[in-house]
Amino acid sequence: MFPDQLTKALMLPARGHFIGIDRNNRIFTFLFALFPGLLASGTSVTLVFAFLWAVISLAFKRFPFRMTPAEKIVAWCVTFYVLVTVVSVVVHSNLGVGVTYILKMVPFLAVWAVLPRLHAGVSGRLIPFLIAGAGIGMIGALVFSIVQIAFFSDRAEGGAGNAAVFGLFTVLFGSISLLNAHSDSKTERVIAILGFACGMVCAFLSGTRSAWLVMPVNFAVLYWYLRGQSLPSLTNAAKVVGTVLIVAVIAVASLKVTERYHALESDFTHLDQSQDNVNSLKARLMLWSAGAKVFLQSPLIGHGPQNRMSTVNEALNLPPEKQMTFTHVHNGFLNAAVDGGILGILGVLALLVAPIVGARKKGPGPGRDLATAIALLLLSSYLITGMFGIMFGHDATDAVFTYLTILICWLPGNSPFLSIPQVAQKAGVDVAALTA
């Protein structure tokens, strides 16, 4: 049975120094994949603890500091973003407030310690837990969303506490779930399809229109990856279930798309009204206009993240009671431009390109194809949603981007695709390798 195989794959049947490290890596990856739709803050908390424990372990030489040249390039891309943010805080006023933004950079630095920790385990064993965990997490997220929609809110937020962040995570992890569609395990294939369908339904229930724009791009990425795999033939039962899922997704999508389309139509018709009636669209246009104006005032080094909204509100010239209460300007690049000027934009670009570099700087093989697919799904999800909302600066979005980038770098290019049952079968071999 699949639960027994999952337990055997997670819990290596022996004790030992490196066995414990590898076992914890597996458990952490599986839990991390579950969190985004169910308890988004859990991603940042667990990553920070994993980072700190990895630093302590490195200090006591429990495992060697080992990174490939390609991994170091990725780590420096991420670090460049961190350094730019720190500098933009330090060189501007309100440094006391800016300390919070410096602390938000801690999860990104995990790449320097967590990657060597992953290398202390068995190569190629973690990705099956990420993909299966993503599917199971999306199934749970749909249950969570239905309860929210039925009793508490018009838009599903899952465990993210924010509909936009929830929309980003569900479209991303729902897409990652489908990467198991060619698994040799029937249970994994069912979880993959259900997780994908549930993720898409959750994205629609979140009402996050930018997440809907991600879907066609992610579908293209999934088609590119899966067309090169040996997909199992569909039984009549599978065809019926698949048809039902497609109809269900389309039904939910039509309801939410219609609702959000009318909301957008209403926003357009009210654009010319006074500032007493600031709807979602008008607020974004005002933020983008003011953000561009603020950027041009200091195009090289920006104004610092701690002064972001105060300078934007100053540019809007609104009375105190009418000032924007958002924490960001609803565009990741413009946000970076206001914070750090041109350097800030370069920092975000370096961060976004990091997973692609990590995926393509590998030797050819199944691992590189899988890493490339995950990297493209990650990039498209963050880039498209980030053009209309938050990209970085939220604890959960930062943590998810960082750990997925770490996994993309860590996966060997020649690593074969493995299912959970196959990993379970190799438990004894893995123990022997770790104790050798």
Side-chain angles (χ1 to χ4, degrees), residues 5-336:
Q5 294 169 331
L6 177 59
T7 302
K8 185 178 180 180
L10 281 172
M11 308 299 293
L12 293 176
R15 292 189 177 185
H17 173 62
F18 285 105
I19 294 173
I21 291 176
D22 192 84
R23 181 191 296 124
N24 290 340
N25 289 343
R26 297 178 186 211
I27 294 172
F28 171 77
T29 301
F30 182 67
L31 292 177
F32 195 92
L34 292 175
F35 279 144
L38 299 172
L39 183 65
S41 60
T43 59
S44 56
V45 172
T46 53
L47 182 60
V48 169
F49 275 110
F51 173 40
L52 295 177
W53 188 245
V55 170
I56 293 171
S57 297
L58 281 170
F60 284 95
K61 298 182 178 180
R62 297 187 67 235
F63 53 83
F65 179 81
R66 181 162 61 91
M67 295 176 69
T68 67
E71 290 169 354
K72 289 179 181 178
I73 292 174
V74 171
W76 279 115
C77 286
V78 175
T79 305
F80 177 68
Y81 171 77
V82 172
L83 292 175
V84 166
T85 303
V86 171
V87 169
S88 69
V89 169
V90 172
V91 301
H92 293 101
S93 59
N94 296 325
L95 182 58
V97 179
V99 171
T100 302
Y101 293 92
I102 294 178
L103 292 176
K104 286 183 176 182
M105 295 296 103
V106 170
F108 290 108
L109 296 175
V111 65
W112 289 103
V114 174
L115 248 175
R117 179 185 173 87
L118 298 189
H119 283 309
V122 180
S123 176
R125 297 293 190 264
L126 300 181
I127 298 298
F129 301 108
L130 170 72
I131 301 176
I136 296 170
M138 288 300 99
I139 294 170
L142 179 59
V143 176
F144 200 157
S145 299
I146 291 173
V147 173
Q148 285 182 325
I149 293 291
F151 300 105
F152 302 107
S153 176
D154 292 333
R155 296 177 64 184
E157 300 177 352
N162 182 305
V165 173
F166 185 61
L168 160 62
F169 286 160
T170 53
V171 77
L172 170 59
F173 281 82
S175 299
I176 289 175
S177 171
L178 197 62
L179 294 173
N180 255 351
H182 67 106
S183 170
D184 68 343
S185 166
K186 182 179 179 181
T187 303
E188 279 194 351
R189 294 198 299 270
V190 171
I191 292 173
I193 295 170
L194 287 177
F196 174 71
C198 290
M200 298 308 106
V201 170
C202 286
F204 281 115
L205 291 178
S206 74
T208 307
R209 288 170 293 213
S210 58
W212 304 349
L213 298 177
V214 176
M215 292 180 185
V217 180
N218 282 8
F219 293 167
V221 173
L222 290 168
Y223 173 76
W224 166 80
Y225 174 74
L226 291 173
R227 71 170 183 170
Q229 311 303 324
S230 298
L231 296 174
S233 57
L234 296 177
T235 64
N236 290 332
K239 292 177 181 178
V240 171
V241 172
T243 303
V244 171
L245 288 175
I246 292 172
V247 170
V249 172
I250 292 175
V252 173
S254 61
L255 291 173
K256 268 298 173 182
V257 169
T258 301
E259 176 188 321
R260 296 294 285 163
Y261 170 77
H262 288 313
L264 182 62
E265 189 178 41
S266 176
D267 287 350
F268 270 112
T269 58
H270 292 86
L271 276 180
D272 295 331
Q273 290 189 358
S274 67
Q275 292 180 346
D276 293 332
N277 298 294
V278 179
N279 55 44
S280 173
L281 177 60
K282 188 170 185 178
R284 276 179 168 78
L285 294 176
M286 292 171 65
L287 287 169
W288 294 343
S289 174
K293 189 182 300 183
V294 168
F295 163 64
L296 293 175
Q297 292 173 2
S298 181
L300 288 179
I301 59 173
H303 300 266
Q306 69 269 36
N307 303 311
R308 178 191 306 149
M309 292 313 299
S310 60
T311 54
V312 167
N313 277 313
E314 184 178 333
L316 287 170
N317 196 28
L318 297 173
E321 66 276 9
K322 300 293 184 183
Q323 289 187 352
M324 297 288 186
T325 58
F326 301 107
T327 59
H328 57 95
V329 298
H330 284 76
N331 180 290
F333 291 108
L334 193 54
N335 215 55

Side-chain angles (χ1 to χ4, degrees), residues 69-75 77 349-350 352-362 375 405 408-409:
E71 290 169 354
K72 289 179 181 178
I73 292 174
V74 171
C77 286
L349 288 173
L352 287 171
V353 79
I356 302 298
V357 172
R360 300 311 296 172
K361 286 282 188 177
K362 300 179 185 295
T405 299
I408 289 165
C409 290

Side-chain angles (χ1 to χ4, degrees), residues 400-430:
V400 166
F401 190 90
T402 302
Y403 192 59
L404 288 183
T405 299
I406 289 172
L407 283 178
I408 289 165
C409 290
W410 165 86
L411 181 64
N414 60 356
S415 178
F417 182 90
L418 296 175
S419 63
I420 295 292
Q422 287 175 324
V423 175
Q425 290 173 1
K426 296 177 180 292
V429 176
D430 291 347

